Structures are given as C-alpha cells and as structure tokens.
C-alpha cells in the first residue's frame, strides 16, 4: 500500500489505499537504473543459458556460484566452488562506481530464472546474516518487476503528510504541510501543519519498482528489518535476477573465521567458476 521513490528515499501511500497522502522515510535502498546496456544484458543471458538451470522452489530455476553451506548447523566449506562466472568480472568492476558499494567483495552469486508460466515467485524472507554481510546486491534482467517489502515488527511507523501546498510534490518530512485540516475546521485557505500519524508496521507493505537492467542494493533496515518478496502477479515475462552477497563480519578481517573467508574470496574473485 506504499511505493518507494528513489529520488526522495520516501515510501508514499498509494493513491487508492487508506494511506493516500501519507509517507515515511524508507532507508537502506539504493537503486540505479540502466546499470548495464541492452547489449551487455543479451550477452550475459546468452552465457547463462549455456549452463543448466536447476529446478528451485516456487516455480523458479537457479544457478549457484558459491561455497557449500549448511545454514541450520552453521557449517561451511568450499566444496566444488570454483569462483564466480567470468562474465561477472565486468559487473563487479562496474559496481565500484556506486558510492554504497565501497569495499564490496562478492563471495557468492545466485542466478534465478522466473517465468509466469511456472508461477515463479519467492515468499517474504530475510537473507541469512550468519554468513552473508550487510549489503545484498541484485541485478534485474529481461523484464521489470516489483520487490515487495513487509515487516513483522511490533513497532509503529510514523507517517507524515506527503504533499506540499505549492507543488503537490513529495517533500522531506520536515516540510510536509497540508491545508485540509484547517479547511475542515472552517478556516479556509489557512496553511497549517498536519499531525503525524502512527500505524503498526505489520499493516504496511512497500513496493520497490525494479526496471529492466536496474541494480538494487538493500542494507540497514531494508536488509534486517524488512522482509523482501517477489509475487507471482509481478512476473509478466521471463525475468532473471543476479544476486551477489558479501561475507559477514565473522568471516571478514578480524572475525572468528577470517582465514576461511579469505580462502573463499580468493576462489570467488578468480572469476573462473561454473555453477555448483
């Protein structure tokens, strides 16, 4: 019932929902449109399709490039992991132009193939944070979709009026003003503040629209507080998602499993891998 606007970092209530005219800051999302060109997209998909796609859950198919992991028992080893695929070397290099991806070194890549005919979807979930670090990076290929964010927290969200009187555009929370409260009280034309509104987090969903060839990064609250999902209704054509994950602090410099982390990163960044 809310839509995320990258230009302002706000989630704005949808026009026909009960939250129309309200908004709140939605931190932890970075979206870059046209991250790669159409030619680059065609080449990447062609190279992917040379390898087998394995059946996955909920009508998806997948290709994994990463270590062998047992998340339940928190066990990890290189297994048959031989690195990220060669075509990802250029993608990873291009990520360095994104300010939010400073020091991002992917140790795992997962390609997911969605098709409407298969009813492809993925339920609301958090990505593991024992092994995977702060930033989740996904490249959206072949068709647009919507990343749906939801929250199970018992907290409340503070909403602000979403329009300014002058231009009816999205503003910052500090600038939100509206005339309706004063008009309703009979004081026509007097501009006055509208009080913020509290709403339970569980009643809120936020749609992040992902254009074709866009790159999205989730971190902070968008990574650890909000679950993400792709619903069947938002898969209109074939869609491929490439997700890159970095190591958690436990496997990074100074962490308990630093040496294993170094070994896995060295394998990953050789860019000589085949799907495991």
């Amino acid at each position: 019932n809310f839509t995320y606007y990258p230009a302002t970092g706000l989630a704005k209530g949808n026009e026909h929902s009960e939250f129309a005219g309200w908004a709140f800051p939605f931190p932890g999302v970075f979206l870059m449109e046209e991250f790669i060109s159409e030619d680059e997209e065609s080449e990447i998909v062609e190279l992917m399709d040379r390898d087998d796609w394995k059946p996955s859950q909920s009508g998806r198919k997948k290709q994994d490039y990463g270590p062998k992991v047992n998340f339940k028992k928190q066990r990890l080893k290189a297994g048959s992991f031989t690195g990220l695929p060669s075509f990802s070397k250029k993608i990873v290099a291009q990520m360095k132009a994104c300010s939010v991806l400073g020091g991002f070194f992917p140790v795992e890549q997962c390609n997911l193939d969605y098709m409407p005919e298969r009813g492809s979807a993925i339920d609301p979930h958090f990505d593991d944070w024992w092994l995977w670090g702060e930033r989740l990076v996904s490249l959206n290929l072949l068709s647009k979709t919507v990343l749906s964010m939801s929250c199970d927290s018992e907290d409340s969200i503070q909403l602000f009026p979403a329009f300014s009187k002058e231009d009816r555009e999205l503003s910052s929370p500090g600038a939100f003003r509206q005339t309706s409260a004063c008009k309703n009280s009979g004081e026509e034309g007097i501009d006055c503040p509208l009080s913020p509104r509290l709403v339970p987090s569980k009643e809120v969903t936020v749609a992040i629209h992902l254009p074709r060839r866009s790159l999205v990064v989730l971190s902070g609250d968008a990574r650890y507080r909000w679950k993400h999902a792709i619903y069947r209704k938002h898969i209109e054509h074939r869609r491929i998602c490439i997700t890159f994950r970095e190591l958690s602090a436990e496997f990074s410099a100074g962490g308990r499993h630093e040496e294993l982390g170094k070994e896995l990163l060295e394998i990953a960044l050789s860019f000589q891998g085949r799907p495991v």
Side-chain angles (χ1 to χ4, degrees), residues 158-259:
Q158 190 172 36
L159 306 180
F160 298 88
F163 298 101
S164 64
K165 178 185 175 184
E166 292 75 21
D167 55 14
R168 310 293 289 174
E169 293 291 332
L170 278 166
S171 311
S172 65
F176 287 151
R177 299 175 73 82
Q178 205 173 50
T179 60
S180 58
C182 290
K183 287 185 176 180
N184 291 341
S185 65
E187 300 175 39
E188 187 79 30
I190 297 175
D191 187 20
C192 64
L194 197 63
S195 299
R197 170 184 174 187
L198 286 177
V199 62
S201 298
K202 290 180 178 179
E203 293 184 13
V204 171
T205 57
V206 178
I208 302 174
H209 289 266
L210 304 182
R212 182 176 177 176
R213 297 190 305 282
S214 63
L215 185 85
V216 65
V217 182
L218 302 181
S219 62
D221 279 1
R223 160 83 164 102
Y224 297 114
R225 183 167 181 251
W226 292 81
K227 292 181 177 180
H228 56 276
I230 301 280
Y231 295 120
R232 287 177 177 82
K233 64 183 179 181
H234 294 135
I235 300 297
E236 300 172 6
H237 307 282
R238 187 186 186 195
R239 177 215 178 215
I240 288 178
C241 169
I242 306 177
T243 296
F244 297 95
R245 299 180 176 95
E246 63 184 340
L247 289 168
S248 67
E250 193 167 331
F251 294 87
S252 302
R256 191 156 56 108
H257 300 298
E258 176 183 357
E259 289 307 311

Side-chain angles (χ1 to χ4, degrees), residues 59-222:
R60 290 169 284 132
K61 291 187 176 182
K62 67 177 181 178
Q63 294 174 342
D64 277 324
Y65 300 83
K68 187 175 178 61
V69 188
N70 185 323
F71 290 107
K72 195 170 282 189
K73 296 182 178 178
Q74 294 195 344
R75 290 180 183 168
L76 171 70
K77 59 182 179 180
S80 55
F81 180 40
T82 53
L84 304 188
S86 58
F87 65 78
S88 292
K89 189 170 186 178
K90 187 177 179 183
I91 300 173
V92 172
Q94 286 174 225
M95 288 180 189
K96 293 178 181 176
C98 302
S99 57
V100 299
L101 291 177
F104 181 82
F105 300 107
V107 73
E108 193 252 12
Q109 174 177 332
C110 180
N111 304 333
L112 289 172
D113 184 334
Y114 292 73
M115 289 280 279
E117 294 84 355
R118 296 197 302 264
S120 301
I122 188 164
D123 291 336
H125 68 283
F126 293 113
D127 280 29
D128 174 82
W129 50 65
W130 163 68
L131 177 57
W132 310 133
E134 167 78 15
R135 294 162 291 187
L136 303 176
V137 183
S138 291
L139 182 58
N140 186 59
L141 303 179
L142 295 183
S143 63
K144 67 179 181 178
T145 193
V146 176
L147 193 61
S148 296
M149 312 294 288
S150 58
C151 185
D152 294 336
S153 169
E154 298 296 333
D155 297 342
S156 292
I157 294 171
Q158 190 172 36
L159 306 180
F160 298 88
F163 298 101
S164 64
K165 178 185 175 184
E166 292 75 21
D167 55 14
R168 310 293 289 174
E169 293 291 332
L170 278 166
S171 311
S172 65
F176 287 151
R177 299 175 73 82
Q178 205 173 50
T179 60
S180 58
C182 290
K183 287 185 176 180
N184 291 341
S185 65
E187 300 175 39
E188 187 79 30
I190 297 175
D191 187 20
C192 64
L194 197 63
S195 299
R197 170 184 174 187
L198 286 177
V199 62
S201 298
K202 290 180 178 179
E203 293 184 13
V204 171
T205 57
V206 178
I208 302 174
H209 289 266
L210 304 182
R212 182 176 177 176
R213 297 190 305 282
S214 63
L215 185 85
V216 65
V217 182
L218 302 181
S219 62
D221 279 1

